[in-house]
Amino acid sequence: AVVAEGRRVINNIQRSASLFLVKNIFSFLLTFISLFITMPYPLQPLQLSLLSMVTIGIPSFILALEPNHEMVHGKFIQNVLRAALPGGLSDLLLILGIEAFVFAFELPIGTLTTLTTLLLLAVGMAVLWDVCKPFTVAHGVLWGGMLILAGAAIALLGGFLGLEHLDMRGMLILIVFLLLVVQTLHSMERGLAAVGDARHIDRRVLHDGRDEHETGHKADNDRRPERAGRGNERLTHRIARLRGGRDER
């Protein structure tokens, strides 16, 4: 029972922590870039609250309480970062693209915040989809409920949240970037997986090189007594020959 409870806590915390870190990674990187590039922050506080509630708060609370008896694999920090980094980097890349389009077409700031909110909701739902795997009935109800809640909030509280109606240009930009969400997320996952595999191979090669070096060094140490014995035998033979020569004289 203690082991099962430990597995439940660790596995559920990993999944919940990955949801929290997606927004934190995105916010940190966007703030860092803003130090060097002058651009408006693409979200309002109420919009951040909607994102946090639908894609982080409610799902993480429910996922943290469900039973989970899977074996704990890997290291905690690596597992959390592996699950959160693709979402955070996808958010950053897509929102920078939105910023570029808004700047190029001289769209108002309200269009920027609306596009950003809808796009981050899409990425958040895609990340939640991955976190909910393997899907069960409860996971399906959770994901579908968050999707319905997000749609209802946009439809009923859009004005209160600072969301504006998009014109034709805004709708075209939104459709293009929504089509890029899943592909960008999967590309980030494959890229990070490739980096992790390369690091694993480098460590394995380094470890094998150390083993070979230690094996060779050990073999040399094993051969030293044998070499010393042969040297002693040769020295004994030489001494015997010298004594034999003296006796003949």
Side-chain angles (χ1 to χ4, degrees), residues 94-164:
L94 293 172
I95 297 309
L96 289 178
I98 289 287
E99 293 263 11
F101 269 84
V102 169
F103 177 78
F105 292 104
E106 298 181 351
L107 299 177
I109 188 67
T111 301
L112 171 63
T113 58
T114 301
L115 290 172
T116 300
T117 302
L118 297 178
L119 195 59
L120 290 182
L121 277 174
V123 176
M125 295 304 299
V127 172
L128 182 60
W129 177 278
D130 290 338
V131 171
C132 286
K133 294 179 180 178
F135 262 86
T136 61
V137 175
H139 289 173
V141 171
L142 172 63
W143 192 87
M146 293 303 100
L147 184 63
I148 294 173
L149 180 61
I154 293 171
L156 301 177
L157 302 174
F160 176 74
L161 296 172
L163 302 177
E164 298 183 357

Side-chain angles (χ1 to χ4, degrees), residues 42-68:
L43 288 169
Q44 298 179 13
L46 286 175
Q47 295 165 352
L48 278 172
S49 299
L50 173 64
L51 293 170
S52 298
M53 178 182 67
V54 174
T55 63
I56 301 173
I58 297 176
S60 63
F61 177 77
I62 295 175
L63 290 173
L65 297 178
E66 71 171 356
N68 191 327

Side-chain angles (χ1 to χ4, degrees), residues 49-221:
S49 299
L50 173 64
L51 293 170
S52 298
M53 178 182 67
V54 174
T55 63
I56 301 173
I58 297 176
S60 63
F61 177 77
I62 295 175
L63 290 173
L65 297 178
E66 71 171 356
N68 191 327
H69 303 299
E70 296 180 3
M71 292 287 293
V72 178
H73 301 286
K75 297 181 180 179
F76 179 82
I77 297 298
Q78 292 180 357
N79 292 339
V80 172
L81 290 177
R82 190 182 297 114
L85 274 175
L89 295 177
S90 298
D91 281 343
L92 178 67
L93 184 62
L94 293 172
I95 297 309
L96 289 178
I98 289 287
E99 293 263 11
F101 269 84
V102 169
F103 177 78
F105 292 104
E106 298 181 351
L107 299 177
I109 188 67
T111 301
L112 171 63
T113 58
T114 301
L115 290 172
T116 300
T117 302
L118 297 178
L119 195 59
L120 290 182
L121 277 174
V123 176
M125 295 304 299
V127 172
L128 182 60
W129 177 278
D130 290 338
V131 171
C132 286
K133 294 179 180 178
F135 262 86
T136 61
V137 175
H139 289 173
V141 171
L142 172 63
W143 192 87
M146 293 303 100
L147 184 63
I148 294 173
L149 180 61
I154 293 171
L156 301 177
L157 302 174
F160 176 74
L161 296 172
L163 302 177
E164 298 183 357
H165 292 285
L166 299 175
D167 57 10
M168 182 60 66
R169 293 181 299 176
M171 288 297 299
L172 290 175
I173 294 172
L174 178 62
I175 292 173
V176 168
F177 278 89
L178 285 178
L179 293 175
L180 293 174
V181 167
V182 176
Q183 183 63 35
T184 303
L185 190 60
H186 288 171
S187 298
M188 291 295 175
E189 290 175 350
R190 289 194 295 268
L192 292 172
V195 172
D197 292 340
R199 290 183 61 187
H200 178 70
I201 293 173
D202 291 340
R203 290 178 180 176
R204 185 173 181 179
V205 171
L206 180 61
H207 185 268
D208 292 343
R210 289 177 178 176
D211 289 343
E212 291 179 359
H213 177 73
E214 291 176 357
T215 302
H217 185 67
K218 184 178 180 180
D220 290 338
N221 290 335

